[in-house]
Amino acid sequence: MRIVLVGPPGAGKGTQAAFLAKNLSIPHISTGDLFRANITSGTDLGKQAKAYMDAGNLVPDEVTIGMAEDRLDQADAAEGFLLDGFPRNEFQARALDAYLTSHGIALDGVLDLEVPEDEVVKRIAGRRICRNNSAHVFHIDYKQPKTEGVCDECGGELYQRVDDTEATVRNRIEVYHRETEPIIDYYKRQDLVVTISALGPVADVTRRAMEALEDRRDEDGEGAA
Ligand code: ADP
């Protein structure tokens, strides 16, 4: 399946994407993770992206689209993928459509994770992420690690993302409303959107997401991958 995941920062896209990608045997492609990996390894692309990310603004389209397409070109994405954090505005959505069309493929669904705004701020301000794997996510109140600062899953160091401070989170939410929400309507016009609530235990959200995606796959009829 070829899926796009949308939802505000703090909706749990990264957490859900990791589970869904595993269940569906497709790669999880997160532009946020790709940027962070470039920053860590000190590439030019990382240097270009860093200031935008730290402020909670979008990295310019010309940088982002090229990076996303390079990743989609890799062999493991040939039969399907779960895109997390891309596209993030209508220009990127159109670029993705052009890319897919030129490869003779199409999206199977757009999964929209819904979560109230006050919940988003609470989730993000207390969020701590593992340096080894961004899907290992903890929270200082809701999901404390057994040992402070250490990942339960792999022993990696937990850290707070620079863009997870309250002021930056507010900006990211604003950017989400202004830039990213319009792509939900864009995809609704293509009849691709399934919306689920992202509240409640992680496993419940994954179950709702899997059910919604399976319904979509069934609707697509026979022959759909
Ligand atoms: P979240 O969804 O929790 O805000 P991400 O890890 O997806 O976090 O993204 C972090 C930052 O990376 C964004 O605030 C933005 O600066 C940059 N970024 C990620 N994806 C894109 C994109 N498609 N276009 C522009 N900037 C992006």
Side-chain angles (χ1 to χ4, degrees):
M1 285 189 97
R2 298 184 175 91
I3 302 161
V4 166
L5 196 58
V6 289
K13 292 192 298 292
T15 306
Q16 290 305 326
F19 286 113
L20 295 172
K22 199 163 165 226
N23 283 346
L24 296 163
S25 306
I26 49 179
H28 167 206
I29 300 181
S30 156
T31 41
D33 285 351
L34 291 172
F35 283 131
R36 281 185 288 277
N38 274 279
I39 291 175
T40 305
S41 54
T43 66
D44 279 347
L45 194 149
K47 283 177 193 140
Q48 287 178 58
K50 188 170 189 318
Y52 295 100
M53 290 180 73
D54 287 355
N57 292 319
L58 296 190
V59 179
D61 290 333
E62 56 273 24
V63 178
T64 306
I65 293 168
M67 178 183 76
E69 291 186 351
D70 283 349
R71 179 63 187 86
L72 287 171
D73 281 340
Q74 287 174 30
D76 66 337
E79 299 301 323
F81 50 75
L82 180 59
L83 275 174
D84 160 14
F86 182 86
R88 234 179 171 96
N89 61 27
E90 196 167 323
F91 188 80
Q92 294 179 8
R94 288 181 190 282
L96 176 63
D97 271 349
Y99 173 94
L100 296 173
T101 305
S102 73
H103 288 72
I105 52 182
L107 292 176
D108 296 298
V110 173
L111 183 67
D112 168 29
L113 295 184
E114 236 177 18
V115 59
E117 191 153 321
D118 51 343
E119 177 70 16
V120 160
V121 177
K122 273 192 271 174
R123 283 188 185 186
I124 298 193
R127 175 159 82 167
R128 299 292 182 272
I129 294 169
C130 176
R131 288 228 184 259
N132 296 337
N133 184 338
S134 65
H136 300 166
V137 184
F138 297 83
H139 192 283
I140 53 169
D141 299 316
Y142 310 138
K143 194 189 173 206
Q144 295 169 348
K146 291 196 190 85
T147 311
E148 199 189 320
V150 181
C151 176
D152 287 357
E153 312 269 342
C154 70
E157 182 200 354
L158 300 180
Y159 76 107
Q160 179 173 35
R161 270 171 45 180
V162 252
D163 59 345
D164 273 357
T165 57
E166 186 159 343
T168 311
V169 171
R170 299 238 174 245
N171 186 43
R172 281 158 62 201
I173 293 170
E174 239 180 82
V175 169
Y176 179 76
H177 287 314
R178 193 176 61 234
E179 305 275 338
T180 309
E181 249 173 11
I183 72 170
I184 298 175
D185 283 328
Y186 173 86
Y187 284 128
K188 276 188 179 155
R189 292 196 287 276
Q190 300 183 21
D191 202 19
L192 284 170
V193 179
V194 284
T195 301
I196 63 159
S197 163
L199 287 179
V202 169
D204 290 2
V205 180
T206 310
R207 188 179 37 74
R208 284 198 283 274
M210 281 304 294
E211 282 167 9
L213 291 173
E214 272 154 17
D215 285 351
R216 268 230 60 100
R217 182 154 50 181
D218 296 342
E219 268 172 42
D220 276 357
E222 70 277 21

